[in-house]
Protein backbone atom coordinates (compact mmCIF):
# COMPACT_ATOMS: atom_id res chain seq x y z
CA UNK A 1 0.00 0.00 0.00
CA UNK A 2 1.47 3.44 -0.92
CA UNK A 3 2.31 5.45 2.19
CA UNK A 4 -0.01 8.26 1.11
CA UNK A 5 -2.91 5.78 1.22
CA UNK A 6 -2.42 4.69 4.84
CA UNK A 7 -5.58 5.71 6.71
CA UNK A 8 -3.89 6.72 9.97
CA UNK A 9 -3.87 10.43 10.72
CA UNK A 10 -2.96 10.47 14.41
CA UNK A 11 -0.78 7.77 15.99
CA UNK A 12 0.76 7.01 19.37
CA UNK A 13 3.84 4.78 19.17
CA UNK A 14 5.75 3.32 22.11
CA UNK A 15 9.18 1.79 21.70
CA UNK A 16 9.89 4.42 19.05
CA UNK A 17 13.63 4.27 19.83
CA UNK A 18 14.11 0.68 18.64
CA UNK A 19 14.63 -0.63 15.13
CA UNK A 20 10.99 -1.50 14.44
CA UNK A 21 9.77 1.59 16.29
CA UNK A 22 11.94 3.96 14.26
CA UNK A 23 10.81 2.29 11.04
CA UNK A 24 7.14 2.58 12.04
CA UNK A 25 7.61 6.24 12.92
CA UNK A 26 9.17 6.99 9.54
CA UNK A 27 6.39 5.20 7.68
CA UNK A 28 3.67 7.04 9.60
CA UNK A 29 5.35 10.41 9.17
CA UNK A 30 5.82 9.75 5.45
CA UNK A 31 2.06 9.12 5.28
CA UNK A 32 1.38 12.54 6.80
CA UNK A 33 0.28 11.38 10.23
CA UNK A 34 0.81 13.18 13.51
CA UNK A 35 2.86 10.91 15.76
CA UNK A 36 3.47 10.81 19.51
CA UNK A 37 6.96 9.32 19.85
CA UNK A 38 7.26 7.42 23.14
CA UNK A 39 10.53 5.89 24.30
CA UNK A 40 13.40 6.25 26.74
CA UNK A 41 16.17 7.60 24.49
CA UNK A 42 15.39 11.28 24.03
CA UNK A 43 18.13 12.04 21.46
CA UNK A 44 16.86 9.25 19.18
CA UNK A 45 13.27 10.46 19.55
CA UNK A 46 14.24 14.08 18.88
CA UNK A 47 16.08 13.05 15.72
CA UNK A 48 12.90 11.32 14.53
CA UNK A 49 10.77 14.31 15.48
CA UNK A 50 13.02 16.53 13.37
CA UNK A 51 11.61 14.80 10.27
CA UNK A 52 8.30 16.59 10.85
CA UNK A 53 8.57 18.77 13.97
CA UNK A 54 5.11 20.26 13.49
CA UNK A 55 3.54 16.78 13.60
CA UNK A 56 5.47 15.16 16.46
CA UNK A 57 5.87 15.29 20.20
CA UNK A 58 8.47 13.42 22.25
CA UNK A 59 7.66 11.59 25.51
CA UNK A 60 10.00 9.57 27.74
CA UNK A 61 7.83 7.85 30.41
CA UNK A 62 8.34 4.38 31.78
CA UNK A 63 5.61 2.43 29.95
CA UNK A 64 4.91 0.44 33.13
CA UNK A 65 4.05 3.65 35.03
CA UNK A 66 0.31 4.10 34.54
CA UNK A 67 0.24 7.67 35.89
CA UNK A 68 3.03 8.74 33.54
CA UNK A 69 1.30 7.09 30.57
CA UNK A 70 -1.99 8.76 31.43
CA UNK A 71 -0.22 12.13 31.60
CA UNK A 72 1.33 11.46 28.19
CA UNK A 73 -2.09 10.65 26.74
CA UNK A 74 -3.69 13.80 28.15
CA UNK A 75 -0.90 15.97 26.77
CA UNK A 76 -0.99 14.37 23.31
CA UNK A 77 -4.77 14.59 22.99
CA UNK A 78 -4.53 18.25 24.02
CA UNK A 79 -1.93 18.88 21.31
CA UNK A 80 -3.14 16.73 18.42
CA UNK A 81 -6.55 15.34 19.26
CA UNK A 82 -7.68 11.76 19.79
CA UNK A 83 -5.52 9.20 17.95
CA UNK A 84 -6.88 6.64 15.52
CA UNK A 85 -3.90 4.30 16.01
CA UNK A 86 -2.10 3.24 19.20
CA UNK A 87 0.87 0.89 18.80
CA UNK A 88 2.26 -0.76 21.95
CA UNK A 89 5.67 -1.65 20.55
CA UNK A 90 7.94 -1.12 23.56
CA UNK A 91 9.69 -4.34 24.51
CA UNK A 92 12.89 -5.82 25.93
CA UNK A 93 14.49 -9.23 25.58
CA UNK A 94 17.13 -11.29 27.31
CA UNK A 95 18.09 -14.80 28.30
CA UNK A 96 16.79 -16.22 31.57
CA UNK A 97 17.89 -18.91 34.01
CA UNK A 98 15.52 -19.68 36.88
CA UNK A 99 18.40 -21.05 38.96
CA UNK A 100 20.02 -17.60 39.06
CA UNK A 101 18.53 -15.27 41.71
CA UNK A 102 19.62 -12.17 39.79
CA UNK A 103 17.50 -13.25 36.82
CA UNK A 104 14.30 -12.96 38.83
CA UNK A 105 14.60 -9.17 38.70
CA UNK A 106 15.13 -9.47 34.94
CA UNK A 107 11.90 -11.43 34.60
CA UNK A 108 9.97 -8.94 36.74
CA UNK A 109 11.15 -5.99 34.66
CA UNK A 110 10.52 -7.83 31.39
CA UNK A 111 6.95 -8.55 32.44
CA UNK A 112 6.47 -4.92 33.44
CA UNK A 113 7.57 -3.62 30.05
CA UNK A 114 6.39 -6.37 27.69
CA UNK A 115 3.08 -7.30 29.33
CA UNK A 116 1.95 -4.51 31.65
CA UNK A 117 3.27 -1.85 29.25
CA UNK A 118 0.68 -2.48 26.51
CA UNK A 119 -2.17 -2.27 29.04
CA UNK A 120 -0.92 1.04 30.46
CA UNK A 121 -0.47 2.28 26.89
CA UNK A 122 -3.98 1.36 25.77
CA UNK A 123 -5.95 2.25 28.90
CA UNK A 124 -6.23 6.06 28.60
CA UNK A 125 -7.05 5.96 24.89
CA UNK A 126 -9.54 3.11 25.26
CA UNK A 127 -11.28 5.11 27.97
CA UNK A 128 -11.46 8.13 25.64
CA UNK A 129 -12.74 6.10 22.69
CA UNK A 130 -15.46 4.49 24.77
CA UNK A 131 -16.78 7.96 25.50
CA UNK A 132 -17.07 8.75 21.81
CA UNK A 133 -19.75 7.84 19.32
CA UNK A 134 -19.22 6.64 15.78
CA UNK A 135 -18.73 3.30 14.10
CA UNK A 136 -14.93 3.46 13.81
CA UNK A 137 -12.93 4.78 16.75
CA UNK A 138 -9.42 3.43 16.38
CA UNK A 139 -6.99 0.54 16.33
CA UNK A 140 -4.98 -0.88 19.22
CA UNK A 141 -1.88 -2.78 18.09
CA UNK A 142 0.17 -4.98 20.41
CA UNK A 143 3.57 -6.16 19.21
CA UNK A 144 4.04 -9.65 20.63
CA UNK A 145 6.36 -12.30 19.15
CA UNK A 146 6.52 -15.77 17.65
CA UNK A 147 8.38 -16.55 20.90
CA UNK A 148 5.04 -16.23 22.67
CA UNK A 149 3.62 -19.20 20.78
CA UNK A 150 5.72 -21.80 22.58
CA UNK A 151 8.39 -21.75 25.29
CA UNK A 152 12.06 -21.95 24.39
CA UNK A 153 14.93 -23.10 26.63
CA UNK A 154 16.87 -20.23 28.17
CA UNK A 155 14.23 -17.71 27.11
CA UNK A 156 11.48 -18.33 29.64
CA UNK A 157 10.97 -14.73 30.77
CA UNK A 158 10.62 -13.35 27.25
CA UNK A 159 8.40 -16.21 26.08
CA UNK A 160 6.18 -15.79 29.15
CA UNK A 161 5.84 -12.05 28.63
CA UNK A 162 4.96 -12.37 24.95
CA UNK A 163 2.70 -15.39 25.49
CA UNK A 164 0.88 -13.44 28.17
CA UNK A 165 0.57 -10.47 25.83
CA UNK A 166 -1.00 -12.64 23.13
CA UNK A 167 -3.63 -13.90 25.59
CA UNK A 168 -4.26 -10.38 26.90
CA UNK A 169 -4.82 -9.09 23.36
CA UNK A 170 -7.19 -11.97 22.64
CA UNK A 171 -9.21 -11.01 25.71
CA UNK A 172 -9.22 -7.33 24.82
CA UNK A 173 -10.26 -8.07 21.23
CA UNK A 174 -13.26 -10.05 22.48
CA UNK A 175 -14.20 -7.20 24.83
CA UNK A 176 -14.01 -4.63 22.02
CA UNK A 177 -15.73 -6.71 19.34
CA UNK A 178 -18.50 -4.67 17.70
CA UNK A 179 -17.53 -1.42 19.44
CA UNK A 180 -15.65 0.21 16.55
CA UNK A 181 -12.37 -0.40 18.41
CA UNK A 182 -10.13 -2.88 16.61
CA UNK A 183 -7.43 -4.93 18.37
CA UNK A 184 -4.51 -6.36 16.40
CA UNK A 185 -1.90 -8.88 17.53
CA UNK A 186 1.47 -8.70 15.76
CA UNK A 187 3.83 -11.68 16.05
CA UNK A 188 7.20 -10.89 14.49
CA UNK A 189 9.79 -13.56 14.02
CA UNK A 190 13.39 -12.39 13.88
CA UNK A 191 14.01 -8.74 12.98
CA UNK A 192 17.44 -7.26 12.39
CA UNK A 193 17.50 -5.02 15.48
CA UNK A 194 19.57 -4.58 18.65
CA UNK A 195 17.32 -7.13 20.37
CA UNK A 196 18.60 -9.87 18.06
CA UNK A 197 22.13 -8.60 17.43
CA UNK A 198 23.61 -10.76 20.21
CA UNK A 199 21.76 -13.95 19.30
CA UNK A 200 24.11 -16.90 18.77
CA UNK A 201 21.56 -19.18 17.13
CA UNK A 202 20.07 -19.46 13.65
CA UNK A 203 17.38 -16.87 12.87
CA UNK A 204 15.33 -18.14 9.90
CA UNK A 205 13.31 -15.52 8.04
CA UNK A 206 15.37 -12.61 9.42
CA UNK A 207 13.50 -9.47 8.36
CA UNK A 208 14.64 -5.87 8.00
CA UNK A 209 12.77 -3.39 10.27
CA UNK A 210 11.58 -1.28 7.34
CA UNK A 211 9.99 -4.28 5.62
CA UNK A 212 8.38 -5.34 8.90
CA UNK A 213 7.00 -1.85 9.54
CA UNK A 214 5.40 -1.65 6.10
CA UNK A 215 3.85 -5.11 6.42
CA UNK A 216 2.57 -4.31 9.92
CA UNK A 217 0.86 -1.06 8.92
CA UNK A 218 -0.56 -2.57 5.74
CA UNK A 219 -1.96 -5.45 7.78
CA UNK A 220 -3.60 -3.15 10.32
CA UNK A 221 -5.01 -0.97 7.54
CA UNK A 222 -6.47 -4.10 5.90
CA UNK A 223 -8.13 -5.09 9.18
CA UNK A 224 -6.09 -8.25 9.82
CA UNK A 225 -6.40 -9.18 13.48
CA UNK A 226 -3.36 -11.50 13.52
CA UNK A 227 -0.24 -10.33 11.69
CA UNK A 228 2.83 -12.56 11.47
CA UNK A 229 6.10 -11.06 10.22
CA UNK A 230 7.12 -12.64 7.90
CA UNK A 231 4.26 -15.03 7.24
CA UNK A 232 6.57 -17.93 6.43
CA UNK A 233 8.04 -17.90 9.95
CA UNK A 234 4.52 -18.51 11.24
CA UNK A 235 4.20 -21.53 8.98
CA UNK A 236 7.51 -22.85 10.30
CA UNK A 237 6.48 -22.29 13.92
CA UNK A 238 3.18 -24.06 13.33
CA UNK A 239 4.96 -26.99 11.69
CA UNK A 240 7.33 -27.32 14.65
CA UNK A 241 4.31 -27.17 16.93
CA UNK A 242 3.13 -30.50 15.53
CA UNK A 243 6.24 -32.23 16.84
CA UNK A 244 5.90 -34.21 20.05
CA UNK A 245 7.06 -32.09 22.99
CA UNK A 246 10.05 -34.36 23.65
CA UNK A 247 11.32 -33.93 20.06
CA UNK A 248 10.63 -30.20 20.04
CA UNK A 249 12.49 -29.67 23.32
CA UNK A 250 15.46 -31.76 22.21
CA UNK A 251 15.73 -29.76 18.98
CA UNK A 252 15.77 -26.42 20.80
CA UNK A 253 17.98 -27.53 23.68
CA UNK A 254 20.74 -28.13 21.17
CA UNK A 255 20.72 -24.48 20.09
CA UNK A 256 22.88 -21.74 21.70
CA UNK A 257 21.06 -19.74 24.40
CA UNK A 258 20.14 -16.08 24.22
CA UNK A 259 22.65 -14.00 26.25
CA UNK A 260 21.58 -13.19 29.81
CA UNK A 261 21.99 -9.72 31.33
CA UNK A 262 25.69 -9.17 31.96
CA UNK A 263 26.84 -11.61 29.29
CA UNK A 264 28.45 -10.61 26.03
CA UNK A 265 25.83 -9.67 23.45
CA UNK A 266 23.05 -9.03 25.98
CA UNK A 267 20.77 -6.07 25.33
CA UNK A 268 20.07 -3.33 27.84
CA UNK A 269 16.89 -3.50 29.92
CA UNK A 270 15.94 0.04 31.02
CA UNK A 271 14.93 0.49 34.63
CA UNK A 272 16.38 -2.81 35.82
CA UNK A 273 17.05 -2.56 39.52
CA UNK A 274 20.05 -3.96 41.41
CA UNK A 275 20.44 -7.75 41.22
CA UNK A 276 18.84 -9.92 43.89
CA UNK A 277 21.17 -11.59 46.41
Amino acid sequence: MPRSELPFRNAVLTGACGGLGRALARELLAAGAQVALVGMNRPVLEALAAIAPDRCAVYTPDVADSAAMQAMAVDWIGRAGVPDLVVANAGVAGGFDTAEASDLAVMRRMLEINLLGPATTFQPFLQTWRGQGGAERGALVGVASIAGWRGMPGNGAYCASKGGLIRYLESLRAECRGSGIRVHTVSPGYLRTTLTAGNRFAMPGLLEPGDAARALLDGVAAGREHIVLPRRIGWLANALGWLPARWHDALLRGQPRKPRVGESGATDIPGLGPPAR
Side-chain angles (χ1 to χ4, degrees):
M1 179 182 295
R3 299 305 92 190
S4 60
E5 294 182 11
L6 284 174
F8 315 115
R9 302 272 65 88
N10 183 327
V12 175
L13 172 64
T14 70
C17 303
L20 178 59
R22 291 198 301 272
L24 286 168
R26 293 190 184 101
E27 291 292 319
L28 289 165
L29 290 172
Q34 301 179 88
V35 184
L37 301 168
V38 184
M40 302 194 79
N41 189 327
R42 182 172 287 276
V44 170
L45 298 179
E46 289 177 343
L48 278 173
I51 297 172
D54 57 325
R55 291 189 279 118
C56 292
V58 168
Y59 301 94
T60 57
D62 181 336
V63 293
D65 184 335
S66 61
M69 294 300 286
Q70 288 168 0
M72 176 276 294
V74 169
D75 185 80
W76 177 248
I77 291 172
R79 289 170 181 257
V82 179
D84 52 19
L85 175 69
V86 179
V87 183
N89 172 63
V92 292
F96 179 77
D97 185 345
T98 303
E100 298 294 332
S102 60
D103 280 15
L104 298 177
V106 172
M107 185 175 196
R108 181 180 296 109
R109 185 60 179 149
M110 204 175 294
L111 290 168
E112 288 176 349
I113 295 172
N114 294 358
L115 181 52
L116 177 61
T120 60
T121 299
F122 294 157
Q123 182 272 320
F125 300 107
L126 184 58
Q127 184 180 59
T128 299
W129 287 341
R130 282 181 173 173
Q132 293 180 322
E136 288 294 329
R137 304 181 194 180
L140 300 173
V141 180
V143 179
S145 172
I146 289 288
W149 292 15
R150 186 162 183 170
M152 296 185 291
N155 210 15
Y158 185 73
C159 292
S161 68
K162 292 301 187 177
L165 176 56
I166 289 169
R167 296 296 173 257
Y168 162 68
L169 292 168
E170 287 177 350
S171 301
L172 184 61
R173 180 165 45 250
E175 294 167 13
C176 293
R177 184 78 68 187
S179 70
I181 299 168
R182 293 177 288 118
V183 179
H184 304 263
T185 301
V186 182
S187 292
Y190 297 109
L191 306 183
R192 196 185 302 276
T193 69
T194 56
L195 292 186
T196 61
N199 288 355
R200 310 181 185 111
F201 45 81
M203 295 185 286
L206 185 65
L207 195 62
E208 296 296 331
D211 295 333
R214 285 186 287 275
L216 187 158
L217 293 172
D218 287 347
V220 174
R224 286 169 48 204
E225 295 180 341
H226 303 271
I227 301 167
V228 180
L229 305 171
R231 287 189 180 184
R232 63 184 180 277
I233 198 67
W235 301 334
L236 176 60
N238 281 327
L240 289 173
W242 284 102
L243 292 175
R246 185 182 298 274
W247 296 2
H248 185 277
D249 294 348
L251 178 65
L252 293 183
R253 283 185 64 192
Q255 298 295 314
R257 300 291 179 90
K258 190 171 185 68
R260 295 169 48 240
V261 170
E263 294 180 344
S264 175
T267 53
D268 181 51
I269 298 181
L272 186 63
R277 298 187 184 279

